[in-house]
Amino acid sequence: VPIPAFTAGRESPTDGDRWTTWTPFTYPFNMTQQPAASIPCGHTDDGLPIGLQIIGPRHADATVLRAAHAYEQARPWTRTTTPKQRATDS
């Protein structure tokens, strides 16, 4: 989804939000049965993880997985701490 994670236990970021308002880049691909993968690619300023969404045409699961693997090889995700955590540990 194109927003940072919201409070655990909530069904939407704020009261009364319809899910289509905060998932505009997710549900169309579920409805069209297109394969997708989300892989970590960074952090927000608050240290929350950000994912890169890779989407392919129907029945192209292997292509999506190859693209995700290629990205992970080019940009390994080896950090176990966020930028914010490293700043406070210094």
Side-chain angles (χ1 to χ4, degrees):
V1 295
I3 61 170
F6 46 88
T7 305
R10 294 190 62 97
E11 292 186 14
S12 65
T14 59
D15 290 330
D17 280 346
R18 291 181 46 92
W19 63 272
T20 55
T21 63
W22 55 274
T23 61
F25 307 116
T26 306
Y27 76 88
F29 302 108
N30 290 338
M31 294 172 69
T32 57
Q33 301 177 354
Q34 292 176 258
S38 179
I39 54 176
C41 66
H43 290 94
T44 66
D45 290 341
D46 291 328
L48 296 172
I50 296 173
L52 169 68
Q53 187 177 23
I54 300 172
I55 301 159
R58 286 184 72 192
H59 310 296
D61 303 58
T63 302
V64 170
L65 292 173
R66 280 194 302 274
H69 179 73
Y71 181 86
E72 289 177 329
Q73 296 301 303
R75 303 280 304 197
W77 188 255
T78 57
R79 287 196 319 232
T80 57
T81 59
T82 66
K84 191 173 191 176
Q85 288 170 323
R86 284 194 298 280
T88 58
D89 291 342
S90 308

